[in-house]
Amino acid sequence: EAQVTQNPRYLITVTGKKLTVTCSQNMNHEYMSWYRQDPGLGLRQIYYSMNVEVTDKGDVPEGYKVSRKEKRNFPLILESPSPNQTSLYFCASSFSAGLTDTQYFGPGTRLTVL
Amino acid sequence: DAKTTQPNSMESNEEEPVHLPCNHSTISGTDYIHWYRQLPSQGPEYVIHGLTSNVNNRMASLAIAEDRKSSTLILHRATLRDAAVYYCILRDRDNYGQNFVFGPGTRLSVLP
């Protein structure tokens, strides 16, 4: 089944403790992206990747890192999480960044930083 | 900034058609109109997209105004499973990789 998977689905952590949220897709997509969703602010893009080893900042990249060493994986790294990074995170992928390409979203990771 | 405006919420009765409007008065000639929806506790999912002509698929229809400044997503027979937030998104050539801007969307409630 074609899908985007994220792990973990739920995470409670403390300020400053490094964490990684994994994202994997099995559709051989070139384009991958991370979003965060907050009440009243909607979905905002954090980082995106056009292909392996090609990443770029979205609208809200501060406090996050990403890497794209393999086509299927696009982990989101929080080196020193802070409470304002408490949010619902979605990973997405599409064949490319083409204007007609469909984005497939993962199920989400709910992160709480205490 | 989101380039689209949608009503905050709408309500429909089950098995009746639903017309979800979207205004995009600053749309350019090469912008595609996409609709996604987000069911409760899930990630967004693709519904439909179009450029100029009306489009139909198994999920919905998309009616695009002749001047392209507005569009309407049509669910022909709403079911309880269609209760979701519906997002109208313009995808354009500017900021090529960063062109997915979600606004607040329309929260659709479907009454049994």
Side-chain angles (χ1 to χ4, degrees), chain A residues 31 35 37 45 48 50 58-59 90 97-103 105-106, chain B residues 32 34 36 38 42-44 46 49 87 91-92 96-100 102:
Chain A
Y31 182 89
Y35 297 84
Q37 185 171 33
Q45 191 178 47
Y48 63 93
M50 303 281 266
D59 296 320
F90 290 101
L99 299 184
T100 60
D101 286 341
T102 298
Q103 282 215 356
F105 285 79
Chain B
Y32 278 81
H34 284 246
Y36 280 70
Q38 187 172 16
Q42 294 189 27
Y46 169 80
H49 76 272
Y87 300 99
R91 299 196 65 187
D92 59 39
Y96 183 59
Q98 198 181 341
N99 58 12
F100 241 95
F102 285 82

PDB file of all heavy atoms in Angstrom, chain A residues 31 35 37 45 48 50 58-59 90 97-103 105-106, chain B residues 32 34 36 38 42-44 46 49 87 91-92 96-100 102:
ATOM      1  N   TYR A  31       9.908  14.584  -3.908  1.00  0.00           N
ATOM      2  CA  TYR A  31       9.641  15.738  -3.054  1.00  0.00           C
ATOM      3  C   TYR A  31       9.074  15.291  -1.709  1.00  0.00           C
ATOM      4  O   TYR A  31       8.162  14.467  -1.650  1.00  0.00           O
ATOM      5  CB  TYR A  31       8.638  16.660  -3.751  1.00  0.00           C
ATOM      6  CG  TYR A  31       8.294  17.918  -3.006  1.00  0.00           C
ATOM      7  CD1 TYR A  31       9.032  19.082  -3.178  1.00  0.00           C
ATOM      8  CD2 TYR A  31       7.222  17.963  -2.125  1.00  0.00           C
ATOM      9  CE1 TYR A  31       8.713  20.251  -2.498  1.00  0.00           C
ATOM     10  CE2 TYR A  31       6.895  19.119  -1.437  1.00  0.00           C
ATOM     11  CZ  TYR A  31       7.648  20.255  -1.632  1.00  0.00           C
ATOM     12  OH  TYR A  31       7.339  21.414  -0.953  1.00  0.00           O
ATOM     13  N   TYR A  35       5.398  19.789   7.856  1.00  0.00           N
ATOM     14  CA  TYR A  35       4.506  20.853   8.275  1.00  0.00           C
ATOM     15  C   TYR A  35       4.257  20.726   9.772  1.00  0.00           C
ATOM     16  O   TYR A  35       4.326  19.643  10.336  1.00  0.00           O
ATOM     17  CB  TYR A  35       3.148  20.749   7.577  1.00  0.00           C
ATOM     18  CG  TYR A  35       3.172  20.903   6.078  1.00  0.00           C
ATOM     19  CD1 TYR A  35       3.458  19.824   5.259  1.00  0.00           C
ATOM     20  CD2 TYR A  35       2.880  22.124   5.484  1.00  0.00           C
ATOM     21  CE1 TYR A  35       3.464  19.948   3.873  1.00  0.00           C
ATOM     22  CE2 TYR A  35       2.875  22.271   4.102  1.00  0.00           C
ATOM     23  CZ  TYR A  35       3.175  21.174   3.313  1.00  0.00           C
ATOM     24  OH  TYR A  35       3.175  21.311   1.943  1.00  0.00           O
ATOM     25  N   GLN A  37       1.114  21.922  12.537  1.00  0.00           N
ATOM     26  CA  GLN A  37      -0.257  22.428  12.572  1.00  0.00           C
ATOM     27  C   GLN A  37      -0.585  22.866  13.988  1.00  0.00           C
ATOM     28  O   GLN A  37      -0.499  22.076  14.925  1.00  0.00           O
ATOM     29  CB  GLN A  37      -1.257  21.364  12.109  1.00  0.00           C
ATOM     30  CG  GLN A  37      -2.683  21.878  12.001  1.00  0.00           C
ATOM     31  CD  GLN A  37      -3.606  20.882  11.338  1.00  0.00           C
ATOM     32  OE1 GLN A  37      -3.442  19.674  11.481  1.00  0.00           O
ATOM     33  NE2 GLN A  37      -4.592  21.381  10.581  1.00  0.00           N
ATOM     34  N   GLN A  45       4.583  25.233   6.616  1.00  0.00           N
ATOM     35  CA  GLN A  45       5.683  24.406   6.138  1.00  0.00           C
ATOM     36  C   GLN A  45       6.966  24.714   6.906  1.00  0.00           C
ATOM     37  O   GLN A  45       7.346  25.879   7.076  1.00  0.00           O
ATOM     38  CB  GLN A  45       5.895  24.626   4.653  1.00  0.00           C
ATOM     39  CG  GLN A  45       6.827  23.621   4.001  1.00  0.00           C
ATOM     40  CD  GLN A  45       6.960  23.856   2.515  1.00  0.00           C
ATOM     41  OE1 GLN A  45       7.155  24.978   2.064  1.00  0.00           O
ATOM     42  NE2 GLN A  45       6.845  22.801   1.734  1.00  0.00           N
ATOM     43  N   TYR A  48      11.442  21.595   3.292  1.00  0.00           N
ATOM     44  CA  TYR A  48      11.096  20.710   2.202  1.00  0.00           C
ATOM     45  C   TYR A  48      12.363  20.220   1.506  1.00  0.00           C
ATOM     46  O   TYR A  48      13.454  20.782   1.689  1.00  0.00           O
ATOM     47  CB  TYR A  48      10.139  21.375   1.205  1.00  0.00           C
ATOM     48  CG  TYR A  48      10.694  22.580   0.479  1.00  0.00           C
ATOM     49  CD1 TYR A  48      11.305  22.461  -0.758  1.00  0.00           C
ATOM     50  CD2 TYR A  48      10.571  23.854   1.034  1.00  0.00           C
ATOM     51  CE1 TYR A  48      11.797  23.576  -1.432  1.00  0.00           C
ATOM     52  CE2 TYR A  48      11.060  24.971   0.373  1.00  0.00           C
ATOM     53  CZ  TYR A  48      11.659  24.828  -0.858  1.00  0.00           C
ATOM     54  OH  TYR A  48      12.147  25.930  -1.523  1.00  0.00           O
ATOM     55  N   MET A  50      13.595  18.747  -2.369  1.00  0.00           N
ATOM     56  CA  MET A  50      13.246  18.477  -3.758  1.00  0.00           C
ATOM     57  C   MET A  50      13.795  17.125  -4.218  1.00  0.00           C
ATOM     58  O   MET A  50      13.286  16.545  -5.175  1.00  0.00           O
ATOM     59  CB  MET A  50      13.798  19.582  -4.657  1.00  0.00           C
ATOM     60  CG  MET A  50      13.308  20.968  -4.272  1.00  0.00           C
ATOM     61  SD  MET A  50      11.650  21.288  -4.857  1.00  0.00           S
ATOM     62  CE  MET A  50      12.034  22.087  -6.398  1.00  0.00           C
ATOM     63  N   GLY A  58      11.256  26.212   4.790  1.00  0.00           N
ATOM     64  CA  GLY A  58       9.896  26.634   4.527  1.00  0.00           C
ATOM     65  C   GLY A  58       9.615  27.928   5.270  1.00  0.00           C
ATOM     66  O   GLY A  58      10.502  28.770   5.441  1.00  0.00           O
ATOM     67  N   ASP A  59       8.414  28.049   5.771  1.00  0.00           N
ATOM     68  CA  ASP A  59       8.008  29.290   6.441  1.00  0.00           C
ATOM     69  C   ASP A  59       8.463  29.389   7.886  1.00  0.00           C
ATOM     70  O   ASP A  59       8.667  30.482   8.403  1.00  0.00           O
ATOM     71  CB  ASP A  59       6.482  29.427   6.387  1.00  0.00           C
ATOM     72  CG  ASP A  59       5.973  29.571   4.965  1.00  0.00           C
ATOM     73  OD1 ASP A  59       6.636  30.285   4.185  1.00  0.00           O
ATOM     74  OD2 ASP A  59       4.936  28.968   4.640  1.00  0.00           O
ATOM     75  N   PHE A  90       3.186  16.997  10.479  1.00  0.00           N
ATOM     76  CA  PHE A  90       2.853  16.149   9.343  1.00  0.00           C
ATOM     77  C   PHE A  90       4.002  16.136   8.349  1.00  0.00           C
ATOM     78  O   PHE A  90       4.551  17.181   8.002  1.00  0.00           O
ATOM     79  CB  PHE A  90       1.598  16.646   8.625  1.00  0.00           C
ATOM     80  CG  PHE A  90       0.334  16.466   9.399  1.00  0.00           C
ATOM     81  CD1 PHE A  90      -0.237  17.537  10.074  1.00  0.00           C
ATOM     82  CD2 PHE A  90      -0.271  15.224   9.471  1.00  0.00           C
ATOM     83  CE1 PHE A  90      -1.404  17.364  10.790  1.00  0.00           C
ATOM     84  CE2 PHE A  90      -1.449  15.050  10.183  1.00  0.00           C
ATOM     85  CZ  PHE A  90      -2.004  16.118  10.857  1.00  0.00           C
ATOM     86  N   ALA A  97       7.758  18.493  -7.263  1.00  0.00           N
ATOM     87  CA  ALA A  97       7.121  19.726  -6.802  1.00  0.00           C
ATOM     88  C   ALA A  97       6.267  20.335  -7.905  1.00  0.00           C
ATOM     89  O   ALA A  97       5.936  21.510  -7.854  1.00  0.00           O
ATOM     90  CB  ALA A  97       8.176  20.724  -6.347  1.00  0.00           C
ATOM     91  N   GLY A  98       5.918  19.539  -8.888  1.00  0.00           N
ATOM     92  CA  GLY A  98       5.106  20.026  -9.996  1.00  0.00           C
ATOM     93  C   GLY A  98       3.765  20.550  -9.550  1.00  0.00           C
ATOM     94  O   GLY A  98       3.215  20.124  -8.535  1.00  0.00           O
ATOM     95  N   LEU A  99       3.225  21.477 -10.322  1.00  0.00           N
ATOM     96  CA  LEU A  99       2.005  22.176  -9.930  1.00  0.00           C
ATOM     97  C   LEU A  99       0.782  21.267  -9.906  1.00  0.00           C
ATOM     98  O   LEU A  99      -0.230  21.603  -9.297  1.00  0.00           O
ATOM     99  CB  LEU A  99       1.757  23.353 -10.881  1.00  0.00           C
ATOM    100  CG  LEU A  99       2.844  24.420 -10.895  1.00  0.00           C
ATOM    101  CD1 LEU A  99       2.432  25.565 -11.797  1.00  0.00           C
ATOM    102  CD2 LEU A  99       3.134  24.931  -9.504  1.00  0.00           C
ATOM    103  N   THR A 100       0.845  20.137 -10.557  1.00  0.00           N
ATOM    104  CA  THR A 100      -0.307  19.232 -10.555  1.00  0.00           C
ATOM    105  C   THR A 100      -0.077  18.004  -9.682  1.00  0.00           C
ATOM    106  O   THR A 100      -0.944  17.147  -9.574  1.00  0.00           O
ATOM    107  CB  THR A 100      -0.643  18.772 -11.982  1.00  0.00           C
ATOM    108  OG1 THR A 100       0.494  18.089 -12.515  1.00  0.00           O
ATOM    109  CG2 THR A 100      -0.985  19.956 -12.871  1.00  0.00           C
ATOM    110  N   ASP A 101       1.086  17.912  -9.059  1.00  0.00           N
ATOM    111  CA  ASP A 101       1.393  16.715  -8.271  1.00  0.00           C
ATOM    112  C   ASP A 101       0.617  16.697  -6.966  1.00  0.00           C
ATOM    113  O   ASP A 101       0.511  17.704  -6.273  1.00  0.00           O
ATOM    114  CB  ASP A 101       2.893  16.645  -7.977  1.00  0.00           C
ATOM    115  CG  ASP A 101       3.698  16.257  -9.202  1.00  0.00           C
ATOM    116  OD1 ASP A 101       3.113  15.715 -10.149  1.00  0.00           O
ATOM    117  OD2 ASP A 101       4.914  16.504  -9.202  1.00  0.00           O
ATOM    118  N   THR A 102       0.125  15.532  -6.628  1.00  0.00           N
ATOM    119  CA  THR A 102      -0.621  15.344  -5.388  1.00  0.00           C
ATOM    120  C   THR A 102       0.335  15.122  -4.229  1.00  0.00           C
ATOM    121  O   THR A 102       1.286  14.353  -4.345  1.00  0.00           O
ATOM    122  CB  THR A 102      -1.532  14.114  -5.517  1.00  0.00           C
ATOM    123  OG1 THR A 102      -2.459  14.340  -6.568  1.00  0.00           O
ATOM    124  CG2 THR A 102      -2.275  13.837  -4.219  1.00  0.00           C
ATOM    125  N   GLN A 103       0.061  15.787  -3.122  1.00  0.00           N
ATOM    126  CA  GLN A 103       0.849  15.539  -1.916  1.00  0.00           C
ATOM    127  C   GLN A 103       0.132  14.500  -1.058  1.00  0.00           C
ATOM    128  O   GLN A 103      -1.077  14.584  -0.838  1.00  0.00           O
ATOM    129  CB  GLN A 103       1.042  16.831  -1.105  1.00  0.00           C
ATOM    130  CG  GLN A 103       2.097  17.739  -1.680  1.00  0.00           C
ATOM    131  CD  GLN A 103       2.891  18.490  -0.610  1.00  0.00           C
ATOM    132  OE1 GLN A 103       2.620  18.398   0.565  1.00  0.00           O
ATOM    133  NE2 GLN A 103       3.899  19.236  -1.040  1.00  0.00           N
ATOM    134  N   PHE A 105       0.021  12.827   2.646  1.00  0.00           N
ATOM    135  CA  PHE A 105       0.400  13.187   4.002  1.00  0.00           C
ATOM    136  C   PHE A 105       0.443  11.960   4.896  1.00  0.00           C
ATOM    137  O   PHE A 105      -0.337  11.015   4.735  1.00  0.00           O
ATOM    138  CB  PHE A 105      -0.596  14.195   4.583  1.00  0.00           C
ATOM    139  CG  PHE A 105      -0.438  15.579   4.028  1.00  0.00           C
ATOM    140  CD1 PHE A 105      -0.948  15.914   2.786  1.00  0.00           C
ATOM    141  CD2 PHE A 105       0.240  16.549   4.755  1.00  0.00           C
ATOM    142  CE1 PHE A 105      -0.793  17.199   2.267  1.00  0.00           C
ATOM    143  CE2 PHE A 105       0.395  17.831   4.246  1.00  0.00           C
ATOM    144  CZ  PHE A 105      -0.110  18.152   3.010  1.00  0.00           C
ATOM    145  N   GLY A 106       1.352  12.013   5.859  1.00  0.00           N
ATOM    146  CA  GLY A 106       1.399  11.000   6.876  1.00  0.00           C
ATOM    147  C   GLY A 106       0.311  11.204   7.908  1.00  0.00           C
ATOM    148  O   GLY A 106      -0.435  12.181   7.845  1.00  0.00           O
TER     149      GLY A 106
ATOM    150  N   TYR B  32      -2.664  26.733 -10.389  1.00  0.00           N
ATOM    151  CA  TYR B  32      -3.609  25.637 -10.301  1.00  0.00           C
ATOM    152  C   TYR B  32      -4.399  25.745  -9.001  1.00  0.00           C
ATOM    153  O   TYR B  32      -3.866  26.141  -7.972  1.00  0.00           O
ATOM    154  CB  TYR B  32      -2.885  24.291 -10.337  1.00  0.00           C
ATOM    155  CG  TYR B  32      -2.525  23.838 -11.723  1.00  0.00           C
ATOM    156  CD1 TYR B  32      -1.389  24.344 -12.361  1.00  0.00           C
ATOM    157  CD2 TYR B  32      -3.304  22.907 -12.397  1.00  0.00           C
ATOM    158  CE1 TYR B  32      -1.056  23.931 -13.636  1.00  0.00           C
ATOM    159  CE2 TYR B  32      -2.978  22.483 -13.672  1.00  0.00           C
ATOM    160  CZ  TYR B  32      -1.855  23.002 -14.283  1.00  0.00           C
ATOM    161  OH  TYR B  32      -1.527  22.593 -15.542  1.00  0.00           O
ATOM    162  N   HIS B  34      -6.197  23.749  -6.136  1.00  0.00           N
ATOM    163  CA  HIS B  34      -6.234  22.423  -5.520  1.00  0.00           C
ATOM    164  C   HIS B  34      -7.168  22.454  -4.321  1.00  0.00           C
ATOM    165  O   HIS B  34      -7.240  23.456  -3.598  1.00  0.00           O
ATOM    166  CB  HIS B  34      -4.839  22.015  -5.025  1.00  0.00           C
ATOM    167  CG  HIS B  34      -3.906  21.594  -6.095  1.00  0.00           C
ATOM    168  ND1 HIS B  34      -3.429  20.310  -6.218  1.00  0.00           N
ATOM    169  CD2 HIS B  34      -3.349  22.300  -7.111  1.00  0.00           C
ATOM    170  CE1 HIS B  34      -2.617  20.236  -7.248  1.00  0.00           C
ATOM    171  NE2 HIS B  34      -2.546  21.427  -7.811  1.00  0.00           N
ATOM    172  N   TYR B  36      -7.883  20.124  -0.833  1.00  0.00           N
ATOM    173  CA  TYR B  36      -7.540  19.030   0.071  1.00  0.00           C
ATOM    174  C   TYR B  36      -8.552  19.053   1.211  1.00  0.00           C
ATOM    175  O   TYR B  36      -9.204  20.069   1.461  1.00  0.00           O
ATOM    176  CB  TYR B  36      -6.124  19.199   0.632  1.00  0.00           C
ATOM    177  CG  TYR B  36      -5.043  18.760  -0.306  1.00  0.00           C
ATOM    178  CD1 TYR B  36      -4.767  19.478  -1.468  1.00  0.00           C
ATOM    179  CD2 TYR B  36      -4.293  17.614  -0.064  1.00  0.00           C
ATOM    180  CE1 TYR B  36      -3.786  19.060  -2.355  1.00  0.00           C
ATOM    181  CE2 TYR B  36      -3.301  17.186  -0.940  1.00  0.00           C
ATOM    182  CZ  TYR B  36      -3.064  17.917  -2.083  1.00  0.00           C
ATOM    183  OH  TYR B  36      -2.091  17.501  -2.959  1.00  0.00           O
ATOM    184  N   GLN B  38      -9.155  17.535   5.409  1.00  0.00           N
ATOM    185  CA  GLN B  38      -8.541  16.910   6.576  1.00  0.00           C
ATOM    186  C   GLN B  38      -9.645  16.366   7.466  1.00  0.00           C
ATOM    187  O   GLN B  38     -10.382  17.134   8.096  1.00  0.00           O
ATOM    188  CB  GLN B  38      -7.670  17.912   7.335  1.00  0.00           C
ATOM    189  CG  GLN B  38      -6.866  17.291   8.447  1.00  0.00           C
ATOM    190  CD  GLN B  38      -5.876  18.252   9.055  1.00  0.00           C
ATOM    191  OE1 GLN B  38      -5.937  19.465   8.881  1.00  0.00           O
ATOM    192  NE2 GLN B  38      -4.902  17.718   9.790  1.00  0.00           N
ATOM    193  N   GLN B  42      -6.587  13.084  11.255  1.00  0.00           N
ATOM    194  CA  GLN B  42      -5.822  12.557  10.124  1.00  0.00           C
ATOM    195  C   GLN B  42      -5.049  13.679   9.429  1.00  0.00           C
ATOM    196  O   GLN B  42      -5.304  14.860   9.664  1.00  0.00           O
ATOM    197  CB  GLN B  42      -6.752  11.885   9.118  1.00  0.00           C
ATOM    198  CG  GLN B  42      -7.434  10.637   9.641  1.00  0.00           C
ATOM    199  CD  GLN B  42      -8.171   9.894   8.545  1.00  0.00           C
ATOM    200  OE1 GLN B  42      -7.812   9.986   7.368  1.00  0.00           O
ATOM    201  NE2 GLN B  42      -9.200   9.161   8.925  1.00  0.00           N
ATOM    202  N   GLY B  43      -4.123  13.269   8.570  1.00  0.00           N
ATOM    203  CA  GLY B  43      -3.442  14.244   7.749  1.00  0.00           C
ATOM    204  C   GLY B  43      -4.316  14.649   6.580  1.00  0.00           C
ATOM    205  O   GLY B  43      -5.275  13.955   6.226  1.00  0.00           O
ATOM    206  N   PRO B  44      -4.010  15.789   5.965  1.00  0.00           N
ATOM    207  CA  PRO B  44      -4.792  16.215   4.794  1.00  0.00           C
ATOM    208  C   PRO B  44      -4.728  15.172   3.683  1.00  0.00           C
ATOM    209  O   PRO B  44      -3.747  14.433   3.561  1.00  0.00           O
ATOM    210  CB  PRO B  44      -4.100  17.515   4.367  1.00  0.00           C
ATOM    211  CG  PRO B  44      -3.431  18.020   5.603  1.00  0.00           C
ATOM    212  CD  PRO B  44      -2.991  16.781   6.339  1.00  0.00           C
ATOM    213  N   TYR B  46      -5.762  14.629  -0.633  1.00  0.00           N
ATOM    214  CA  TYR B  46      -6.106  15.274  -1.898  1.00  0.00           C
ATOM    215  C   TYR B  46      -7.560  15.003  -2.264  1.00  0.00           C
ATOM    216  O   TYR B  46      -8.077  13.896  -2.052  1.00  0.00           O
ATOM    217  CB  TYR B  46      -5.187  14.719  -2.989  1.00  0.00           C
ATOM    218  CG  TYR B  46      -5.570  15.084  -4.398  1.00  0.00           C
ATOM    219  CD1 TYR B  46      -5.258  16.330  -4.927  1.00  0.00           C
ATOM    220  CD2 TYR B  46      -6.242  14.166  -5.200  1.00  0.00           C
ATOM    221  CE1 TYR B  46      -5.595  16.656  -6.216  1.00  0.00           C
ATOM    222  CE2 TYR B  46      -6.584  14.489  -6.504  1.00  0.00           C
ATOM    223  CZ  TYR B  46      -6.260  15.738  -7.006  1.00  0.00           C
ATOM    224  OH  TYR B  46      -6.601  16.049  -8.289  1.00  0.00           O
ATOM    225  N   HIS B  49      -8.130  18.850  -8.327  1.00  0.00           N
ATOM    226  CA  HIS B  49      -7.479  20.076  -8.745  1.00  0.00           C
ATOM    227  C   HIS B  49      -7.877  20.419 -10.177  1.00  0.00           C
ATOM    228  O   HIS B  49      -8.353  19.549 -10.927  1.00  0.00           O
ATOM    229  CB  HIS B  49      -5.943  19.976  -8.623  1.00  0.00           C
ATOM    230  CG  HIS B  49      -5.291  19.161  -9.706  1.00  0.00           C
ATOM    231  ND1 HIS B  49      -5.117  17.806  -9.612  1.00  0.00           N
ATOM    232  CD2 HIS B  49      -4.755  19.541 -10.894  1.00  0.00           C
ATOM    233  CE1 HIS B  49      -4.509  17.360 -10.691  1.00  0.00           C
ATOM    234  NE2 HIS B  49      -4.276  18.392 -11.490  1.00  0.00           N
ATOM    235  N   TYR B  87      -9.693  22.553   2.406  1.00  0.00           N
ATOM    236  CA  TYR B  87      -8.743  23.612   2.087  1.00  0.00           C
ATOM    237  C   TYR B  87      -8.698  23.853   0.575  1.00  0.00           C
ATOM    238  O   TYR B  87      -8.546  22.911  -0.201  1.00  0.00           O
ATOM    239  CB  TYR B  87      -7.338  23.236   2.539  1.00  0.00           C
ATOM    240  CG  TYR B  87      -7.181  22.981   4.011  1.00  0.00           C
ATOM    241  CD1 TYR B  87      -7.169  21.687   4.516  1.00  0.00           C
ATOM    242  CD2 TYR B  87      -7.015  24.041   4.908  1.00  0.00           C
ATOM    243  CE1 TYR B  87      -7.011  21.452   5.873  1.00  0.00           C
ATOM    244  CE2 TYR B  87      -6.847  23.812   6.263  1.00  0.00           C
ATOM    245  CZ  TYR B  87      -6.849  22.511   6.733  1.00  0.00           C
ATOM    246  OH  TYR B  87      -6.679  22.280   8.066  1.00  0.00           O
ATOM    247  N   ARG B  91      -1.620  26.718  -6.262  1.00  0.00           N
ATOM    248  CA  ARG B  91      -0.243  26.305  -6.462  1.00  0.00           C
ATOM    249  C   ARG B  91       0.313  27.069  -7.645  1.00  0.00           C
ATOM    250  O   ARG B  91      -0.220  26.993  -8.755  1.00  0.00           O
ATOM    251  CB  ARG B  91      -0.179  24.799  -6.683  1.00  0.00           C
ATOM    252  CG  ARG B  91      -0.706  24.016  -5.491  1.00  0.00           C
ATOM    253  CD  ARG B  91      -0.302  22.590  -5.534  1.00  0.00           C
ATOM    254  NE  ARG B  91       1.148  22.452  -5.422  1.00  0.00           N
ATOM    255  CZ  ARG B  91       1.770  21.285  -5.567  1.00  0.00           C
ATOM    256  NH1 ARG B  91       1.091  20.202  -5.830  1.00  0.00           N
ATOM    257  NH2 ARG B  91       3.080  21.215  -5.461  1.00  0.00           N
ATOM    258  N   ASP B  92       1.403  27.787  -7.394  1.00  0.00           N
ATOM    259  CA  ASP B  92       1.928  28.654  -8.446  1.00  0.00           C
ATOM    260  C   ASP B  92       3.420  28.415  -8.644  1.00  0.00           C
ATOM    261  O   ASP B  92       4.053  27.658  -7.930  1.00  0.00           O
ATOM    262  CB  ASP B  92       1.665  30.130  -8.102  1.00  0.00           C
ATOM    263  CG  ASP B  92       2.296  30.535  -6.780  1.00  0.00           C
ATOM    264  OD1 ASP B  92       3.420  30.092  -6.482  1.00  0.00           O
ATOM    265  OD2 ASP B  92       1.653  31.306  -6.038  1.00  0.00           O
ATOM    266  N   TYR B  96       8.891  27.764  -5.949  1.00  0.00           N
ATOM    267  CA  TYR B  96       8.558  26.487  -6.584  1.00  0.00           C
ATOM    268  C   TYR B  96       8.333  25.335  -5.621  1.00  0.00           C
ATOM    269  O   TYR B  96       7.372  24.611  -5.705  1.00  0.00           O
ATOM    270  CB  TYR B  96       9.650  26.146  -7.599  1.00  0.00           C
ATOM    271  CG  TYR B  96       9.407  24.900  -8.375  1.00  0.00           C
ATOM    272  CD1 TYR B  96       8.264  24.753  -9.156  1.00  0.00           C
ATOM    273  CD2 TYR B  96      10.321  23.865  -8.351  1.00  0.00           C
ATOM    274  CE1 TYR B  96       8.040  23.603  -9.878  1.00  0.00           C
ATOM    275  CE2 TYR B  96      10.115  22.723  -9.087  1.00  0.00           C
ATOM    276  CZ  TYR B  96       8.978  22.588  -9.852  1.00  0.00           C
ATOM    277  OH  TYR B  96       8.764  21.455 -10.575  1.00  0.00           O
ATOM    278  N   GLY B  97       9.247  25.138  -4.669  1.00  0.00           N
ATOM    279  CA  GLY B  97       9.081  23.998  -3.780  1.00  0.00           C
ATOM    280  C   GLY B  97       8.240  24.293  -2.572  1.00  0.00           C
ATOM    281  O   GLY B  97       7.862  23.419  -1.814  1.00  0.00           O
ATOM    282  N   GLN B  98       7.910  25.542  -2.404  1.00  0.00           N
ATOM    283  CA  GLN B  98       7.293  25.997  -1.160  1.00  0.00           C
ATOM    284  C   GLN B  98       5.893  26.508  -1.435  1.00  0.00           C
ATOM    285  O   GLN B  98       5.421  27.430  -0.793  1.00  0.00           O
ATOM    286  CB  GLN B  98       8.153  27.133  -0.612  1.00  0.00           C
ATOM    287  CG  GLN B  98       7.943  27.448   0.835  1.00  0.00           C
ATOM    288  CD  GLN B  98       8.827  28.606   1.240  1.00  0.00           C
ATOM    289  OE1 GLN B  98       9.802  28.924   0.582  1.00  0.00           O
ATOM    290  NE2 GLN B  98       8.485  29.261   2.319  1.00  0.00           N
ATOM    291  N   ASN B  99       5.250  25.924  -2.412  1.00  0.00           N
ATOM    292  CA  ASN B  99       4.036  26.549  -2.894  1.00  0.00           C
ATOM    293  C   ASN B  99       2.768  25.920  -2.354  1.00  0.00           C
ATOM    294  O   ASN B  99       1.716  26.019  -2.966  1.00  0.00           O
ATOM    295  CB  ASN B  99       4.023  26.547  -4.422  1.00  0.00           C
ATOM    296  CG  ASN B  99       4.142  25.150  -4.989  1.00  0.00           C
ATOM    297  OD1 ASN B  99       4.010  24.164  -4.277  1.00  0.00           O
ATOM    298  ND2 ASN B  99       4.411  25.059  -6.275  1.00  0.00           N
ATOM    299  N   PHE B 100       2.866  25.255  -1.231  1.00  0.00           N
ATOM    300  CA  PHE B 100       1.669  24.704  -0.612  1.00  0.00           C
ATOM    301  C   PHE B 100       1.340  25.548   0.613  1.00  0.00           C
ATOM    302  O   PHE B 100       1.884  25.345   1.679  1.00  0.00           O
ATOM    303  CB  PHE B 100       1.927  23.259  -0.176  1.00  0.00           C
ATOM    304  CG  PHE B 100       1.033  22.288  -0.852  1.00  0.00           C
ATOM    305  CD1 PHE B 100       1.450  21.638  -1.983  1.00  0.00           C
ATOM    306  CD2 PHE B 100      -0.234  22.039  -0.364  1.00  0.00           C
ATOM    307  CE1 PHE B 100       0.622  20.743  -2.620  1.00  0.00           C
ATOM    308  CE2 PHE B 100      -1.073  21.143  -0.995  1.00  0.00           C
ATOM    309  CZ  PHE B 100      -0.645  20.484  -2.124  1.00  0.00           C
ATOM    310  N   PHE B 102      -1.505  26.554   3.166  1.00  0.00           N
ATOM    311  CA  PHE B 102      -2.828  26.210   3.675  1.00  0.00           C
ATOM    312  C   PHE B 102      -3.405  27.400   4.434  1.00  0.00           C
ATOM    313  O   PHE B 102      -2.783  27.924   5.329  1.00  0.00           O
ATOM    314  CB  PHE B 102      -2.730  25.031   4.641  1.00  0.00           C
ATOM    315  CG  PHE B 102      -2.522  23.703   3.983  1.00  0.00           C
ATOM    316  CD1 PHE B 102      -1.251  23.305   3.603  1.00  0.00           C
ATOM    317  CD2 PHE B 102      -3.587  22.851   3.755  1.00  0.00           C
ATOM    318  CE1 PHE B 102      -1.053  22.074   3.004  1.00  0.00           C
ATOM    319  CE2 PHE B 102      -3.398  21.619   3.155  1.00  0.00           C
ATOM    320  CZ  PHE B 102      -2.129  21.226   2.781  1.00  0.00           C
TER     321      PHE B 102
END
